[in-house]
């Protein structure tokens, strides 16, 4: 039986609008609406599931939606194009990469760490970097230009000081049959005409649309036009927390008249005190599409929905967690990892079991982890000269031999790895576990953590090197979260997006932390207020707001850190 929808949900699900914008407040059932919208199209409008593309913001959200759809529409759920935009990009590039100049369908995706390392190597060859200092520019200048390119799809002008190194970097990636994570969106946009020839998408659905950037908006609108597809987007400007990496929530505010707007204003998640305080807080923002959330639940007897703990240090918070009942599920959310790392260390010292979300993500961006995986990348993409650069010292290729290899590679039209290993790759035809076992035997000290990471993944998924690397290319912090995890969870507010817990503890609610000093100095408090709002609305039964000591002394100096302005605005 399909679930019962409220009037607002049903109106959105059954609309015949060619362009629908669903303003979905926290806890209003947006995933249910998306699932029921797809079910309505398949069952009532007789749309083939292969004609539907649904984009989520995280891989975890895509998995949840897939699971719900399988239970709702059965085998039809397997015909959809469903996942993050980056996942679709990787799939399409591996399928049609030759159209945009890639050498094969097995493309390497560089992480942020690899991107930075490769950029320095390109700069070194161009004489812009001497191994310690940059000449005439800073690494940040180039990374800012690359970031703008990934978010807007616009290359720097020829007069820009970083133009030449930008072009050289992009060319190096192409030579390596590789892309950066950010470059996936560039590739996807280029492939839209090709996709339109082979895919028959007639309905495009987008979740968390407030957090996509300008280039992703361009891609969605170009797909809408190329496919002649209807657009159904779901989001909430009040919950946009990724402007720092290019999200464009103001796009919705400025272009709302281009959509038929539906509002979901019933909160099924939180008790009234949390919902009402959240409403009061976010009403202080100006750049928003207004809505007023209404709670459906009742307060729990003897269990206050919200309370504040002032002058609450990390040590006191650790003791509070150790002595309290956390079996129902408690999340401690912080503005940054500095607070969480200290709290995690204190809990470790107490022997208190907890999950600190972010540890594994930090591991995947470590140098040893990435060098280990360079071997795996060469197993599927022998053209990747950069991955060979990462392993050359490990396999005993010194400066002179490396120079000879590069000369022969240029003369023979082959990659560095192909020249080094000859006609037969040492990894040809081998499975993920076989390659990993070989690396562990030959280089046991390289990265035991990377080896363990591979073993866990292989046990739960497959023995395919390509499948594993595709998973790793799109790795995100929410991949660390165990399904139905209880107990204590520590994580940043950003990583908590889209999640919920019975009890949420919002740590470090002081001026200078939330809002941050940078946002106050930049006069961008609205973004920080949205972050506070998202944190508040993760709690179902209780929200505990903690304030660190407002006056502290260190090295003979007095530091003042008043409680966050957001507390007074909300409570």
């Amino acid at each position: 039986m399909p679930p019962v929808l409220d009037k607002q949900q049903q109106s959105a699900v059954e609309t015949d609008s060619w362009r629908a914008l669903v303003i979905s407040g926290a806890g209003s059932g947006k995933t249910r609406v998306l699932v029921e919208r797809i079910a309505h199209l398949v069952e009532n409008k007789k749309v083939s599931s292969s004609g539907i593309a649904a984009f989520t913001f995280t891989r975890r959200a895509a998995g949840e939606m897939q699971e719900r759809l399988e239970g709702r529409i059965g085998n039809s759920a397997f015909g959809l194009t469903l996942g993050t935009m980056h996942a679709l990009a990787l799939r399409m590039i591996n399928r049609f990469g030759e159209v945009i100049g890639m050498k094969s369908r097995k493309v390497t995706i560089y992480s942020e760490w690899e991107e930075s390392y490769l950029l320095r190597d390109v700069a070194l060859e161009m004489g812009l970097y001497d191994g310690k200092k940059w000449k005439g520019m800073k690494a940040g200048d180039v990374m800012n230009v690359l970031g703008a390119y990934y978010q807007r799809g616009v290359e720097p002008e020829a007069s820009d000081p970083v133009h030449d190194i930008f072009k050289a970097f992009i060319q190096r990636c192409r030579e390596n049959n590789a892309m950066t994570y950010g470059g996936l969106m560039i590739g996807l946009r280029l492939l839209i005409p090709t996709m339109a020839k082979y895919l028959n998408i007639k309905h495009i659905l987008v979740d968390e649309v407030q957090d996509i950037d300008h280039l992703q908006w361009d891609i969605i609108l170009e797909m809408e036009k190329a496919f002649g597809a209807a657009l159904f987007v779901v989001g909430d400007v009040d919950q946009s927390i990724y402007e720092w990496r290019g999200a464009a929530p103001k796009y919705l505010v400025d272009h709302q008249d281009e959509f038929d707007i539906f509002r979901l204003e019933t909160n099924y998640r939180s008790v009234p005190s949390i919902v009402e305080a959240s409403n009061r807080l976010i009403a202080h923002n100006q750049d928003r599409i207004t809505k007023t959330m209404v709670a459906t639940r009742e307060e729990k007897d003897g269990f206050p929905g919200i309370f504040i703990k002032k002058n609450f240090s990390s040590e006191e918070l650790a003791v509070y967690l150790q002595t309290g009942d956390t079996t129902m599920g408690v999340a401690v959310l912080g503005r940054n990892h500095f607070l969480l790392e200290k709290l995690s260390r204190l809990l470790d010292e107490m022997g208190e079991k907890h999950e600190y979300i972010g540890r594994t993500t930090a591991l995947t961006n470590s140098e040893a982890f990435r060098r280990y995986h360079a071997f795996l990348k060469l197993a599927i993409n022998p053209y990747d000269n950069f991955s060979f650069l990462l392993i050359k010292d490990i396999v005993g290729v010194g400066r002179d031999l490396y120079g000879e290899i590069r000369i022969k590679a240029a003369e023979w039209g082959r990659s560095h790895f192909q020249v080094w290993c000859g006609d037969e790759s040492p990894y040809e035809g081998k499975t993920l576990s076989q390659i990993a076992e070989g690396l562990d035997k030959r280089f046991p000290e390289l990265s035991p953590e990377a080896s363990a990471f591979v073993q866990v993944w292989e046990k739960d998924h497959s023995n395919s090197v390509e499948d594993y690397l595709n998973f790793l290319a799109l790795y995100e912090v929410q991949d660390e979260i165990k399904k139905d995890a209880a107990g204590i969870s520590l994580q940043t507010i950003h990583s908590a997006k889209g999640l919920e817990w019975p009890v949420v503890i919002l740590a470090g609610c002081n001026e200078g932390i939330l809002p941050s000093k940078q946002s106050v100095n930049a006069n961008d408090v609205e973004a920080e207020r949205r972050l506070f709002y998202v944190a508040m609305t993760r709690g179902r039964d209780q929200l505990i707001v903690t304030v660190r000591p407002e006056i502290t002394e260190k090295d003979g100096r007095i530091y003042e850190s008043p409680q966050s302005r957001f507390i007074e605005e909300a409570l």
Side-chain angles (χ1 to χ4, degrees):
M1 287 287 294
V4 176
L5 301 176
D6 64 37
K7 290 183 179 180
Q8 289 183 325
Q9 291 173 336
Q10 188 166 0
S11 179
V13 164
E14 297 180 356
T15 181
D16 290 325
S17 170
W18 200 249
R19 270 193 170 194
L21 167 60
V22 181
I23 304 300
S24 177
S28 64
K30 70 179 178 61
T31 302
R32 171 181 289 188
V33 166
L34 284 163
V35 169
E36 288 305 306
R37 173 63 176 177
I38 292 170
H40 171 71
L41 292 174
V42 172
E43 295 176 344
N44 301 328
K45 296 298 183 178
K46 307 305 177 185
V47 176
S48 169
S49 59
S50 63
I52 301 172
F55 297 117
T56 60
F57 192 67
T58 66
R59 181 155 51 190
R60 182 185 179 91
E64 180 184 351
M65 190 178 297
Q66 180 69 39
E67 188 175 312
R68 291 201 197 184
L69 282 167
E70 289 173 21
R72 179 66 178 83
I73 60 176
N75 290 335
S76 293
F78 297 101
L80 271 77
T81 297
L82 172 62
T84 66
M85 291 186 71
H86 285 85
L88 175 67
L90 182 56
R91 197 181 316 151
M92 293 298 102
I93 289 166
N94 281 332
R95 182 176 176 183
F96 302 117
E98 293 91 341
V99 174
I100 56 174
M102 308 308 291
K103 293 187 179 74
S104 74
R105 295 183 178 181
K106 295 181 179 180
V107 177
T108 297
I109 305 301
Y110 292 145
S111 69
E112 183 178 339
W113 181 90
E114 290 162 325
E115 179 180 15
S116 179
Y117 193 112
L118 178 59
L119 180 63
R120 292 196 303 271
D121 188 63
V122 173
L124 194 66
E125 284 198 353
M126 296 178 68
L128 299 173
Y129 178 67
D130 63 8
K132 294 182 179 180
K133 295 182 179 180
W134 284 71
K135 300 177 182 178
M137 64 184 70
K138 298 178 182 178
D141 297 335
V142 189
M143 294 304 293
N144 287 338
V145 168
L146 282 168
Y149 176 58
Y150 299 149
Q151 294 163 10
R152 294 182 176 270
V154 179
E155 296 188 5
E157 299 287 341
S159 58
D160 194 310
V162 306
H163 174 269
D164 290 348
I165 188 173
F166 167 86
K167 298 292 285 187
F169 176 82
I170 298 298
Q171 181 58 31
R172 180 76 76 85
C173 289
R174 187 176 295 276
E175 289 171 359
N176 294 346
N177 200 43
M179 286 184 166
T180 62
Y181 179 81
L184 284 169
M185 290 296 96
I186 303 294
L188 178 60
R189 185 180 190 180
L190 293 172
L191 284 173
I192 290 175
T194 302
M195 290 163 55
K197 295 178 182 178
Y198 296 95
L199 304 180
N200 189 34
I201 295 173
K202 294 302 177 187
H203 290 270
I204 299 171
L205 296 85
V206 186
D207 189 15
E208 303 283 16
V209 73
Q210 76 279 351
D211 282 323
I212 67 175
D213 60 35
H214 288 282
L215 178 57
Q216 290 170 323
W217 265 114
D218 288 344
I219 290 170
I220 289 168
L221 297 178
E222 288 178 24
M223 287 181 64
E224 175 194 32
K225 183 177 180 180
F227 288 107
L231 195 57
F232 186 92
V233 301
V234 180
D236 179 11
V237 174
D238 293 339
Q239 296 184 71
S240 180
I241 59 174
Y242 288 101
E243 278 188 283
W244 54 276
R245 70 182 192 190
K250 204 168 184 306
Y251 183 96
L252 283 179
V253 178
D254 294 341
H255 295 265
Q256 58 182 297
D257 59 344
E258 298 173 13
F259 296 85
D260 293 322
I261 295 180
F262 301 83
R263 285 176 170 81
L264 306 183
E265 298 175 297
T266 303
N267 184 298
Y268 297 96
R269 175 189 298 158
S270 305
V271 294
S273 56
I274 295 177
V275 174
E276 291 161 9
S278 302
N279 284 340
R280 288 192 293 269
L281 172 76
I282 204 63
H284 287 79
N285 272 11
Q286 299 299 314
D287 283 332
R288 60 190 298 252
I289 300 176
T290 57
K291 67 182 189 313
T292 301
M293 300 303 296
V294 178
T296 58
R297 297 183 56 203
E298 295 181 355
E299 302 285 339
K300 299 184 69 172
D301 291 339
F303 200 68
I306 300 180
F307 64 91
I308 303 172
K309 285 187 171 292
K310 295 188 176 184
N311 295 312
F312 214 57
S313 66
S314 297
E315 290 78 6
E316 290 170 306
L317 178 53
V319 171
Y320 181 82
L321 289 168
Q322 185 186 44
T323 57
D325 180 9
T326 59
T327 55
M328 77 292 286
V330 175
V332 180
L333 305 183
R335 177 65 177 82
N336 54 52
H337 281 288
F338 178 79
L339 293 172
L340 301 175
E341 287 170 356
K342 182 177 181 179
L343 180 59
S344 179
R345 186 169 63 252
L346 291 169
L347 291 173
D348 283 337
E349 291 170 357
M350 294 176 173
E352 184 67 25
K353 187 177 179 181
H354 65 283
E355 295 288 338
Y356 175 21
I357 306 303
R359 279 178 175 162
T360 304
T361 303
L363 166 67
T364 63
N365 279 313
S366 68
E367 180 172 345
F369 188 96
R370 288 298 167 180
R371 288 186 186 274
Y372 185 99
H373 282 79
F375 287 95
L376 296 174
K377 290 181 177 181
L378 286 167
I380 67 164
N381 179 15
Y383 303 105
D384 189 358
N385 289 338
F386 174 65
S387 286
F388 184 75
L389 174 68
L390 291 180
I391 71 165
K392 68 179 181 62
D393 295 333
I394 300 171
V395 299
V397 175
R399 180 182 297 179
D400 292 343
L401 178 55
Y402 184 52
E404 294 174 12
I405 288 173
R406 296 183 67 176
I407 291 172
K408 289 179 180 178
E411 291 175 348
W412 299 349
R414 309 191 76 184
S415 72
H416 301 167
F417 178 67
Q418 289 169 330
V419 172
W420 175 70
C421 67
D423 294 331
E424 187 174 344
S425 167
Y427 310 121
E428 188 69 33
K430 291 187 177 181
T431 64
L432 176 63
S433 59
Q434 288 172 335
I435 296 174
E437 287 170 8
L439 290 175
D440 294 342
K441 288 179 181 178
R442 190 175 176 190
F443 312 110
E445 303 302 320
L446 178 54
S447 180
E449 296 84 2
S451 176
F453 187 92
V454 171
Q455 290 174 29
V456 170
W457 189 90
E458 186 267 340
K459 180 181 178 181
D460 294 337
H461 297 85
S462 77
N463 213 351
S464 165
V465 181
E466 186 173 357
D467 288 349
Y468 170 69
L469 289 178
N470 284 344
F471 166 83
L472 187 64
L474 305 175
Y475 191 81
E476 54 197 28
V477 68
Q478 285 199 0
D479 288 330
E480 294 185 38
I481 301 172
K482 298 175 183 177
K483 190 175 182 181
D484 300 324
I488 302 170
S489 173
L490 313 183
Q491 57 194 98
T492 65
I493 302 171
H494 287 95
S495 69
K497 182 70 178 294
L499 306 178
E500 60 184 71
W501 292 268
V503 177
V504 165
I505 299 175
L506 184 49
C509 297
N510 298 68
E511 290 289 311
I513 300 176
L514 191 58
S516 68
K517 291 179 182 178
Q518 295 89 335
S519 68
V520 173
N521 293 337
N523 196 28
D524 191 21
V525 174
E526 287 207 0
E528 294 288 287
R529 188 176 287 112
R530 291 197 295 268
L531 191 62
F532 201 99
Y533 176 81
V534 166
M536 291 180 68
T537 55
R538 299 310 94 197
R540 293 202 293 265
D541 302 324
Q542 189 172 68
L543 172 68
I544 302 170
V545 179
T546 74
V547 182
R548 295 173 64 81
E550 297 183 46
I551 299 177
T552 57
E553 182 178 351
K554 184 177 180 182
D555 299 329
R557 298 182 63 182
I558 301 296
Y559 296 88
E560 294 187 15
S561 181
Q563 77 171 23
S564 171
R565 68 190 71 185
F566 300 146
I567 294 176
E568 183 177 348
E569 292 177 359
L571 306 178

